[in-house]
Amino acid sequence: MANTTRHLNPEQTALIQTDLVRLVKHFNETVGMVPWFTVEEDCGFDHVFECYNTGTPMAVWAGESHDTIWGEPRFNILFRALHDCIHAAFGADFTEAGEYETSRIQGVLCDEINAPFLKAVLDIETAGQVDFLKAHGEFPPQTFTADEMRRRGIIA
């Protein structure tokens, strides 16, 4: 089915939402998530490692979660929580190199649950956004992931 929306078609959106939930469950069972809560003000990343290492609830920014590849804000926020836990669990800082390492680990985890479409989304959402930021000096638009998937021939 061709996609005529700004993001994914409904079937693709449902797939990444379902696979994200599976990935979070897998990560929690094999590595471990920490409790988290949403905040409206971006509080940066300084707290992530301390929260993860002590099991203290971690703040996850809820802003800019509308109109994303995830279809609903709650899935964008869930991805952010998982992404931050992966950074902390594997000691990958929030530098360019740390984002690439986190992207690589996300891919390995997707392979473990056989989620190749989600793997492509997470690669673009993480490493692809770093590449865009390096090239353009700003974060990409909300349509970036779907546009990049089309450019790569992953979706029509």
Side-chain angles (χ1 to χ4, degrees):
M1 168 187 258
N3 184 2
T4 59
T5 68
R6 289 169 32 95
H7 297 297
L8 302 177
N9 69 39
E11 293 84 9
Q12 294 164 334
T13 300
L15 176 61
I16 66 167
Q17 290 173 346
T18 300
D19 280 353
L20 177 63
V21 171
R22 289 178 49 231
L23 185 61
V24 168
K25 181 178 179 187
H26 174 67
F27 181 81
N28 191 46
E29 291 171 349
T30 59
V31 180
M33 293 280 289
V34 294
W36 53 273
F37 60 95
T38 59
V39 293
E40 295 303 316
E41 294 290 323
D42 188 355
C43 55
F45 304 110
D46 293 341
H47 69 288
V48 170
F49 288 95
E50 180 180 349
C51 290
Y52 189 85
N53 291 330
T54 62
T56 305
M58 177 178 63
V60 176
W61 182 49
E64 299 297 325
S65 290
H66 61 287
D67 193 29
T68 69
I69 194 77
W70 299 103
E72 297 175 46
R74 65 187 173 136
F75 290 100
N76 190 63
I77 294 165
L78 181 60
F79 167 62
R80 286 181 182 166
L82 173 65
H83 179 82
D84 287 357
C85 284
I86 291 170
H87 271 282
F90 292 93
D93 59 20
F94 288 90
T95 63
E96 182 181 300
E99 290 297 335
Y100 287 129
E101 177 63 6
T102 299
S103 183
R104 185 194 67 75
I105 294 165
Q106 290 169 170
V108 169
L109 292 167
C110 284
D111 288 343
E112 291 173 359
I113 66 163
N114 191 27
F117 193 72
L118 179 64
K119 180 179 180 176
V121 168
L122 297 184
D123 176 61
I124 296 167
E125 281 282 288
T126 306
Q129 287 190 10
V130 170
D131 292 342
F132 186 96
L133 181 61
K134 284 176 21 182
H136 303 281
E138 62 185 13
F139 283 102
Q142 293 288 33
T143 58
F144 173 73
T145 300
D147 292 343
E148 185 64 12
M149 291 179 81
R150 284 184 198 93
R151 189 187 73 72
R152 294 182 186 185
I154 299 168
I155 61 174

